[in-house]
Amino acid sequence: MVLVAVFGAALLIAVLLSGLAARTVLSTSFLFLVGGALVSDGFLGLIHITPDSDIVRVTADLALFAVLFTDGMHVSFPKLRENWRNPARALGLGMPLALVGMALITHYVVGLDWTTSFLVGAVLAPTDPVFASAIIGKKEVPSKLRQLLNVESGINDGLALPVVLVLIAAAGPTAGGHTDTSYGAIALELGLGLAFGVLVPLLVNGLVRFRLLGAEPKLQPLLPLAIGVILYAGCHLTHANPYLAAFSAGAVLTAVSPEAKNAFEPLGEALAELAKFAALLVFGALLTPQLFGDLSFGGYVAVVLAIVLIRPASMLISLIGTRFDRRERLVAAWFGPKGFASVVYGLLVLQAGIPQGQEAYTLIAVCIAFSIIAHSSTDVPIAKVFHVERLAGIPTDEDEHAAADRDTAVPAGPAGGGDASVAANAVGARRDA
């Protein structure tokens, strides 16, 4: 209950400060991260959470599923068919370059063995658009840039997972005798996830079209929610990949039933935000002074290079020859935040019991924390480069002055006092209404 109370207080503060955060470098994500850290064992000691606690795994898992489900709904297949080359470059060239670059730095700077170094690179390769919402969610930002970041981050989680699992099997003490079984299980997991993500929305959409079935307007937002709940439970019961299922289900649902997507969008975005905030609070509780103290100087060098060099360089190389202008390329290169996929995969590394798992997890956790702070506090200033002025629907000072001028303006009547009084009364009536 202490954790619930802390979450409620952090949520209230985040809502009250969201207007300021939408126009400045203040980040609501950072508030939850700091809130979790303050109430953890490292500071106030109000809650006791360890990396192997079930609540850590469940909240990160739910948050990643919810974010991918709503992100999938932003994918437009017609636009993707026209502009598939840019996301394909980011996924097929930029992501492998980032993985290899991070592995090289981890091995030579931090000193981990090659298998564990490539494992760290695979865990930190996926990106998360939820920490760059001022970029992804604004129509003033060029659509090809928003689509690139959204599609890349939605798919790279599923692409990184098999690599992470294979490398964990290779690094573990029992890797030798079960490699073929692990590869088969990984392929089955991904295949089932994709199949569930495509078939379940199609099946539900077919049921809705029966004459005797259908949702009344106030319950329509719950239809996609029911699909998401069924998918989440079904994937975990059958060991299918829930993240690939979530993203593909959101995309398929948008394609076959745009009205369901439009009805669910406000509710879905709110639920995804709640799941994200809860996961950030729990993850923040793991960020104790001891964790930061356990990371070596070389580890901090690797973290900084991962954020300011590896991701930007790999993305800039992958975008050579595209039609992005210089400003768009730099924005795409910078926004490679490490998010909930890396949290989930980092916990898998820690719980696998591999020889250098603790060192790898420490490096991963600190890198995620630094990335959340860096990227969630720079999305709004960079969005303004694209002339995004009304972030989060909050009026600017000019809007407020203009509204005040309109309210006080009184049209002059042709005969003076009597007509002016009538006009003033009319203005007052409109304002009251």
Side-chain angles (χ1 to χ4, degrees):
M1 286 299 103
V2 173
L3 184 61
V4 174
V6 172
F7 176 74
L11 183 61
L12 176 61
I13 295 172
V15 171
L16 294 177
L17 295 179
S18 60
L20 178 63
R23 291 180 288 188
T24 65
V25 297
L26 179 66
S27 167
T28 53
S29 300
F30 180 66
L31 291 176
F32 280 89
L33 202 67
V34 172
L38 287 177
V39 298
S40 68
D41 288 328
F43 293 94
L44 299 179
L46 298 179
I47 59 175
H48 311 284
I49 294 177
T50 60
D52 56 353
S53 300
D54 287 338
I55 191 172
V56 177
R57 177 183 54 81
V58 171
T59 53
D61 186 50
L62 276 171
L64 181 58
F65 184 90
V67 168
L68 287 175
F69 188 62
T70 54
D71 282 348
M73 292 186 176
H74 297 153
V75 174
S76 170
F77 284 113
K79 291 182 179 179
L80 188 58
R81 281 194 295 266
E82 297 175 1
N83 303 294
W84 61 270
R85 291 181 178 83
N86 295 329
R89 279 173 171 264
L91 294 167
L93 180 59
M95 184 178 175
L97 286 175
L99 190 158
V100 173
M102 191 63 206
L104 291 173
I105 289 178
T106 302
H107 179 72
Y108 287 111
V109 178
V110 184
L112 300 184
D113 62 65
W114 278 113
T115 303
T116 309
S117 297
F118 275 97
L119 179 56
V120 171
V123 170
L124 294 177
T127 58
D128 193 335
V130 75
F131 298 112
S133 57
I135 297 292
I136 299 296
K138 299 304 173 185
K139 295 182 179 180
E140 294 86 347
V141 177
S143 60
K144 60 181 179 180
L145 176 59
R146 288 186 286 117
Q147 185 183 53
L148 167 66
L149 295 174
N150 193 35
V151 174
E152 177 205 9
S153 60
I155 297 178
N156 60 18
D157 300 326
L159 294 178
L161 180 60
V163 180
V164 170
L165 296 178
V166 167
L167 289 172
I168 287 177
T174 59
H178 303 282
T179 303
D180 292 338
T181 303
S182 298
Y183 293 159
I186 293 167
L188 180 62
E189 179 180 336
L190 294 175
L192 284 176
L194 181 61
F196 286 168
V198 172
L199 294 177
V200 171
L202 291 177
L203 177 62
V204 173
N205 186 62
L207 291 174
V208 171
R209 297 184 183 278
F210 277 101
R211 180 175 299 178
L212 297 179
L213 301 178
E216 61 173 312
K218 69 177 182 179
L219 295 181
Q220 284 180 353
L222 300 184
L223 187 66
L225 179 62
I227 294 175
V229 172
I230 292 171
L231 270 180
Y232 183 80
C235 286
H236 283 282
L237 289 173
T238 60
H239 301 289
N241 187 313
Y243 314 127
L244 190 57
F247 188 80
S248 56
V252 170
L253 186 63
T254 298
V256 300
S257 181
E259 61 278 6
K261 178 255 185 183
N262 294 332
F264 175 72
E265 193 166 26
L267 174 63
E269 296 293 341
L271 291 176
E273 284 291 299
L274 283 176
K276 178 192 79 170
F277 290 150
L280 282 171
L281 186 73
V282 172
F283 178 65
L286 300 178
L287 303 179
T288 61
Q290 181 181 355
L291 178 75
F292 289 96
D294 289 341
L295 188 63
S296 64
F297 176 77
Y300 282 101
V301 172
V303 166
V304 174
L305 291 177
I307 295 174
V308 304
L309 176 62
I310 300 300
R311 159 67 184 195
S314 61
M315 179 58 75
L316 288 174
I317 292 174
S318 68
L319 293 180
I320 292 176
T322 62
R323 295 183 178 181
F324 286 101
D325 61 32
R326 180 174 176 271
R327 178 181 58 178
E328 293 166 349
R329 292 185 188 186
L330 291 175
V331 172
W334 168 245
F335 279 108
K338 320 303 175 189
F340 298 120
S342 296
V343 172
V344 174
Y345 301 162
L347 293 173
L348 291 178
V349 172
L350 181 65
Q351 296 165 3
I354 62 177
Q356 293 183 315
Q358 182 64 55
E359 294 89 337
Y361 169 77
T362 301
L363 174 60
I364 291 167
V366 174
C367 188
I368 294 170
F370 276 47
S371 176
I372 291 174
I373 295 171
H375 293 104
S376 63
S377 60
T378 55
D379 55 355
V380 170
I382 292 180
K384 292 182 178 180
V385 173
F386 296 100
H387 306 294
V388 179
E389 300 297 339
R390 293 173 176 81
L391 296 168
I394 297 173
T396 62
D397 293 338
E398 290 77 5
D399 294 331
E400 294 172 356
H401 291 319
D405 291 341
R406 285 194 302 271
D407 287 344
T408 55
V410 178
D419 291 334
S421 176
V422 172
N425 291 335
V427 171
R430 286 197 301 270
R431 187 166 59 247
D432 293 338

